[in-house]
Amino acid sequence: MSRFDLHSHSTCSDGLLKPGELVARAAQRGVTTLALTDHDEVSGLVEARAAAEQQGMVLIDGVEISVTWNGHTLHVVGLHIDPENHELAAGLNQVRSGRRRRAEAMAASLEQAGIAGSLEGARARASNPELVSRTHFARFLVERGYARDLQSVFRKYLTGDKPGHVPHQWASLEQAVGWIKVSGGMPVLAHPGRYKLDNAQCGALLTQFKDLGGAGVEVVTGSHTAQQFATWGRHARHYGLLASAGSDFHGPGESYRDLGELPALPNGCVPIWGQF
Ligand code: AMP
Ligand code: MN
Ligand code: MN
Ligand code: MN
């Protein structure tokens, strides 16, 4: 039986395992096709591919691009991208360079709330200096005892009007979809149930995403409930989008679902891996 996991992270972004370790864990847990989809970064794919060849597993070259759409932060996964494509690489480089400024502003905001040293703390926890994410700040804050776990850190800090949150402009939806497509990849709207959008906004997003050339939507993802599997399965069918499935695994004990733990797609969904 084939088992697909089309969304995962390594230490090249905010995951806890190196690309090779991630691939080995996926293979051990019965995944037969894994996509490595680091945030705004493709540098882990070479090591992941070598490990996948050793394990006899299929690796899909992927990426997860940060997007600002109508004031909301969204994530668009690209599957089967060409990591060597110059337009994609230039786009990702531009997105990563914004992260440096944001990290400095986040640290200044935490400092005002009485928390010193968070920029150094986050950087020390990021293996990739170009990819300091909120997750690295969150791990620093948990280790220093400011919150119990990652979930509560994001409730108390780093979101909304809480200390450590700074507004940021990521790529546009058009850019992210365009970069993925120009490199030969399939754009997939990541974990749609996490966005705070009303029905009209959801409809507008899916219509625009499809018009721009979006290929699929994550119906099954670690952070969706069983009810959301059904809801997003219906939306995928309604908008003519393929259905994807990915754990969004970041590390042992840190993620909603581990590698290889995903349920099947709801009936009636057309799986994106039919196109691979
Ligand atoms: P960034 O792209 O730097 O804004 O960081 C976003 C990352 O933060 C996501 O990819 C998740 O890994 C993590 N994250 C966001 N919200 C939460 C949450 N409530 N609990 C745990 N991790 C979260
Ligand atoms: Mn992440
Ligand atoms: Mn995401
Ligand atoms: Mn992710």
Side-chain angles (χ1 to χ4, degrees):
M1 194 180 86
S2 301
R3 280 165 86 179
F4 294 84
D5 191 327
L6 303 178
H7 187 150
S8 67
H9 296 275
S10 77
T11 47
C12 295
S13 65
D14 59 351
L16 290 172
L17 303 181
K18 291 197 225 156
E21 296 169 338
L22 177 81
V23 166
R25 184 181 181 94
Q28 264 161 26
R29 300 180 61 90
V31 174
T32 55
T33 300
L34 177 76
L36 173 61
T37 56
D38 275 314
H39 297 287
D40 312 316
E41 178 63 276
V42 293
S43 64
L45 293 170
V46 172
E47 181 184 321
R49 177 155 306 284
E53 275 163 21
Q54 256 187 359
Q55 303 278 347
M57 200 184 70
V58 178
L59 179 85
I60 306 290
D61 286 327
V63 67
E64 180 176 17
I65 304 182
S66 312
V67 163
T68 303
W69 179 81
N70 287 351
H72 297 271
T73 300
L74 312 176
H75 288 171
V76 177
V77 160
L79 297 177
H80 266 308
I81 49 144
D82 171 7
E84 312 259 307
N85 179 274
H86 291 298
E87 268 183 72
L88 173 66
L92 296 180
N93 196 35
Q94 186 187 313
V95 177
R96 286 196 304 273
S97 68
R99 284 186 172 270
R100 183 185 303 271
R101 281 177 281 115
R102 185 187 68 146
E104 288 163 1
M106 284 168 63
S109 163
L110 287 168
E111 182 103 40
Q112 281 208 324
I115 300 174
S118 67
L119 186 58
E120 296 69 27
R123 281 185 179 151
R125 287 163 181 78
S127 328
N128 179 354
E130 289 189 24
L131 217 296
V132 178
S133 85
R134 281 187 295 159
T135 312
H136 300 110
F137 279 89
R139 290 183 186 132
F140 163 81
L141 291 168
V142 171
E143 283 170 42
R144 287 296 163 89
Y146 290 106
R148 194 176 63 246
D149 52 29
L150 284 199
Q151 291 297 320
S152 36
V153 171
F154 278 96
R155 267 197 304 276
K156 285 169 74 177
Y157 304 98
L158 310 172
T159 50
D161 53 5
K162 306 292 169 57
H165 184 252
V166 295
H168 189 72
Q169 192 71 28
W170 300 104
S172 69
L173 185 63
E174 196 168 1
Q175 284 175 319
V177 169
W179 297 332
I180 291 166
K181 284 182 67 75
V182 78
S183 84
M186 307 169 80
V188 175
L189 184 66
H191 43 64
R194 296 236 312 250
Y195 310 133
K196 298 201 165 47
L197 302 173
D198 62 28
N199 286 340
Q201 290 169 318
C202 269
L205 171 61
L206 291 171
T207 303
Q208 197 181 331
F209 180 65
K210 171 83 180 171
D211 286 350
L212 289 170
V217 53
E218 282 181 352
V219 170
V220 167
T221 167
S223 55
H224 277 182
T225 61
Q227 200 187 338
Q228 286 174 319
F229 298 156
T231 303
W232 288 95
R234 277 199 308 277
H235 287 324
R237 284 200 300 279
H238 181 79
Y239 290 92
L241 291 161
L242 300 165
S244 189
S247 59
D248 203 1
F249 178 77
H250 282 70
E254 220 186 60
S255 290
Y256 295 98
R257 279 183 195 262
D258 208 319
L259 299 158
E261 275 184 358
L262 293 175
L265 290 173
N267 287 334
C269 283
V270 185
I272 196 159
W273 48 86
Q275 312 287 310
F276 289 174

